[in-house]
Amino acid sequence: MASLVFVECLVFIWKGSVLPYPDDILAVEIILLFVVGGLETARLFWGMKGNLTERRLATFISISMALTSLTGALYFVLWQTYVLYIEAIIFIIHMALIVLETILAIVTFAAVQKSINLQNPIR
C-alpha cells in the first residue's frame, strides 16, 4: 500500500504542476489519498492478524473494512478531478486485489468457524 500512495503522490505532484486544479481541490484529494491509505493499512493489519491468530473478530473487521477501501479506490478511478490512465490501471488492479483478499478472508473466516465448531461440538 505504501508504494501505491508513493506513486500516487508523484502523480499528484505532476498533475498539480501541469493541470489547472480548482481552489483547494488538490489538497483535499491528497488528504483523501492518505486517509484511504491509512484505512487500507488498517484493513491489511486486521486481515493479517485474523489469519495468523485465527481470530474471527479480526477477520470480520478486515472483511467489513473492504467496502471502505473499495469506495476509496473507486473515488480515485471515477470521481477524482483528473484521472490519468496510469491511475485508472493502478486502482483497478488495487480493487481487484481487494476483492480477491476479501474472498480469501471470507474463506478463512469460514474455515476458522468450522474449526471452532469441530473443537466445541454441541451436545
Side-chain angles (χ1 to χ4, degrees), residues 33-109:
L33 174 68
F34 282 105
V35 169
V36 169
L39 289 172
E40 180 66 10
T41 302
R43 183 187 73 83
L44 291 172
F45 168 77
W46 284 109
M48 183 177 62
K49 183 175 181 178
N51 185 34
L52 293 175
T53 62
E54 295 185 353
R55 301 284 182 178
R56 292 177 293 172
L57 180 62
T59 306
F60 179 75
I61 290 170
S62 174
I63 292 169
S64 60
M65 290 179 77
L67 184 60
T68 306
S69 293
L70 277 174
T71 304
L74 196 60
Y75 172 82
F76 285 105
V77 172
L78 297 177
W79 302 308
Q80 188 176 195
T81 305
Y82 297 108
V83 181
L84 304 179
Y85 286 120
I86 188 70
E87 290 177 303
I89 292 167
I90 289 171
F91 278 104
I92 287 171
I93 291 170
H94 181 64
M95 287 188 294
L97 290 173
I98 291 172
V99 169
L100 178 64
E101 291 165 358
T102 303
I103 291 168
L104 293 174
I106 291 169
V107 169
T108 301
F109 186 85

